[in-house]
Amino acid sequence: MAEENTHETALSAEATFIRDAAAIVRPGHLGGNRNSGDAWVEGESGKFWGKFGSAGLLVFDAGRGVLLQHRAIWSHHGGTWGLPGGALHEGESAVDGALRESWEEAGVPRANVELLFTSVYDVGYWSYITVAVQAVTPFEAVISDPESLALEWVPLSAVAELSLHPGFGAAWPGLRRRLSA
């Protein structure tokens, strides 16, 4: 029993270290190559991330709720909860981009999910596509880059209680209705 508690304490300390490091490490300091889609675009409706648009993955598991990402403090609207996702690569579909980004950020395995629907927010010069999928095989999300403070499965009824990314917060009522249908 004591050995089990020591292991849990070590895992907890490791998770805390990863979370805290993720909050302060900024993109570009990791030595990775940036994609040509990694840029801000601006227009009359504001400033948005993703030269070719952006996409996020809304993973629904009937038993656990939806997978949400607590965004790193340094990120745009840092400290809020939203979806794993990000800038699309040139020529990349929203579904492929959302699956790629969610794998990079949260370890969401493509083979474990099935497409439910997509939802588009379009301001003319930029768009964000929410790709909703159902987890058909359970998996545990894993923080795999510095963009997350935490990853949590949140019951549908509890999502609106969190401090949500403004875009996700505005879209959530409609997305929830579609998930519940």
Side-chain angles (χ1 to χ4, degrees):
M1 185 68 136
E3 186 176 308
E4 186 174 298
N5 286 340
T6 302
H7 178 69
E8 288 176 9
T9 301
L11 287 177
S12 177
E14 181 180 352
T16 300
F17 172 79
I18 291 169
R19 183 202 63 216
D20 293 346
I24 59 173
V25 175
R26 298 192 186 287
H29 295 165
L30 302 176
N33 292 333
R34 309 274 304 176
N35 180 275
S36 63
D38 290 345
W40 292 99
V41 294
E42 292 187 67
E44 64 277 358
S45 296
K47 182 177 173 181
F48 300 97
W49 182 250
K51 182 177 177 182
F52 308 112
S54 292
L57 196 71
L58 176 60
V59 183
F60 174 66
D61 181 305
R64 298 187 286 178
V66 293
L67 178 62
L68 295 183
Q69 174 191 53
H70 195 190
R71 299 167 57 83
I73 300 302
W74 53 261
S75 68
H76 190 55
H77 297 293
T80 61
W81 290 85
L83 304 178
L88 296 173
H89 294 182
E90 187 171 14
E92 184 177 46
S93 75
V95 171
D96 286 341
L99 288 167
R100 175 187 49 76
E101 285 280 347
S102 66
W103 171 252
E104 292 172 3
E105 296 177 5
V108 176
R110 181 183 291 250
N112 292 39
V113 299
E114 287 183 359
L115 182 64
L116 293 172
F117 62 86
T118 60
S119 177
V120 179
Y121 173 73
D122 193 334
V123 297
Y125 58 92
W126 180 87
S127 64
Y128 181 91
I129 297 90
T130 301
V131 177
V133 297
Q134 179 158 352
V136 293
T137 304
F139 64 92
E140 291 305 318
V142 177
I143 295 175
S144 50
D145 78 359
E147 295 184 36
S148 304
L149 294 174
L151 297 165
E152 299 286 338
W153 290 98
V154 180
L156 296 181
S157 62
V159 171
E161 298 169 15
L162 298 172
S163 175
L164 300 177
H165 179 283
F168 178 62
W172 176 243
L175 294 169
R176 181 178 179 181
R177 278 191 297 278
R178 291 183 75 178
L179 287 174
S180 298

